[in-house]
Amino acid sequence: DDARLGRSDWRVGSAFFPYTRYNKLNVAGDGATDEARAKEINSLAFGAVGAFQFANLETGAFIATKLGAEYITDDEFDASAYRASLEIAPAALRRTRSYTIGRTERGNNNRLTLAGSLNAAFDYVYVDELGEAINLAKSNEYGRVGYDINASAALWFPEQEYYFRGFTSYALRDDQTNNGGDAQLFIAGIESRLDPEGGIGLGLSYERGESLVELKDKEAWLLSISVLTK
């Protein structure tokens, strides 16, 4: 969708999409300690996101926002919580640079793309039932403000049809209600695929900190398989 905002040179575009998120982490072994089992995660969420982009045709100013709402439970449907979120990403805090790192015999350019961004984040969570399989929060409700820092470097070799990307991110959430909702999470990883705009990709990432929704201590290596459609 595309609509004008009054008589100004601002325009807004919007998109809406539903999603399902399932996050499970088990500690193997009968001899696992209580401290280790306290880090287990069992989170199943159903939600929807509205993405809005505001652009000024005269100045080139651009702001991207996301409004989200989700219902959170576990895979046994014992837990019950509700979460609303807002993300704001001004173009002034987003940078992308592309460089040619060599021309092939066929005249194609191998490319290196560097990207970085800083987003503001806000969310509110209300927990109706903790359940037995997951500790969704340390209190029945909390409201947080924070930010996400993202950086990446991507290589694209068109003749070999090979795409490689390294990325890192740091997320901070500061609980304004003093109910124990503070969290921070660091992620670094690599991924590769045959096409930067689609196809099957393989990734390896390292995560350390607290899971942002479940508020569980987290340190793990994750192997991922993703499928992007054009």
Side-chain angles (χ1 to χ4, degrees):
D1 296 330
D2 194 338
R4 283 188 176 274
L5 295 178
R7 296 182 178 180
S8 70
D9 290 321
W10 284 91
R11 288 202 175 190
V12 56
S14 61
F16 297 88
F17 53 91
Y19 66 88
T20 299
R21 175 175 52 80
Y22 183 45
N23 188 10
K24 184 153 188 173
L25 177 64
N26 285 336
V27 177
D30 296 333
T33 65
D34 292 339
E35 181 181 359
R37 292 197 180 279
K39 298 180 181 180
E40 291 186 340
I41 297 174
N42 182 354
S43 176
L44 175 63
F46 305 91
V49 170
F52 302 90
Q53 298 179 341
F54 301 89
N56 189 296
L57 302 181
E58 181 178 353
T59 65
F62 180 85
I63 300 175
T65 64
K66 289 182 180 179
L67 282 171
E70 64 180 4
Y71 171 74
I72 309 170
T73 182
D74 52 48
D75 56 17
E76 296 181 357
F77 296 95
D78 291 329
S80 179
Y82 305 87
R83 177 172 177 260
S85 62
L86 169 65
E87 296 180 13
I88 303 176
L93 300 179
R94 182 183 300 269
R95 291 290 184 269
T96 302
R97 295 289 185 271
S98 293
Y99 304 92
T100 298
I101 58 173
R103 184 179 294 272
T104 66
E105 294 181 356
R106 299 180 184 176
N108 295 314
N109 292 329
N110 299 324
R111 297 197 309 272
L112 168 66
T113 301
L114 305 178
S117 65
L118 173 61
N119 305 335
F122 311 85
D123 68 353
Y124 171 79
V125 176
Y126 174 76
V127 180
D128 185 42
E129 180 62 49
L130 289 177
E132 298 179 357
I134 180 174
N135 182 18
L136 285 169
K138 301 173 184 177
S139 177
N140 284 342
E141 64 177 340
Y142 55 86
R144 306 182 298 182
V145 301
Y147 58 84
D148 300 326
I149 300 175
N150 304 285
S152 65
L155 290 169
W156 168 234
F157 302 95
E159 290 188 5
Q160 290 79 18
E161 294 186 344
Y162 182 74
Y163 173 77
F164 177 84
R165 177 175 173 265
F167 60 90
T168 184
S169 67
Y170 174 75
L172 175 72
R173 300 293 184 269
D174 184 27
D175 183 9
Q176 301 299 296
T177 57
N178 296 318
N179 286 331
D182 297 332
Q184 55 183 333
L185 181 63
F186 169 78
I187 301 176
I190 56 175
E191 65 175 354
S192 65
R193 63 181 67 250
L194 297 180
D195 188 332
E197 297 180 356
I200 298 176
L202 297 176
L204 177 67
S205 63
Y206 171 73
E207 300 185 3
R208 183 172 182 175
E210 297 86 36
S211 53
L212 297 182
V213 176
E214 299 85 7
L215 303 178
K216 297 270 189 130
D217 291 337
K218 187 175 187 180
E219 183 175 9
W221 288 91
L222 302 176
L223 179 65
S224 63
I225 299 176
S226 61
V227 178
L228 296 179
T229 58
K230 295 183 179 181

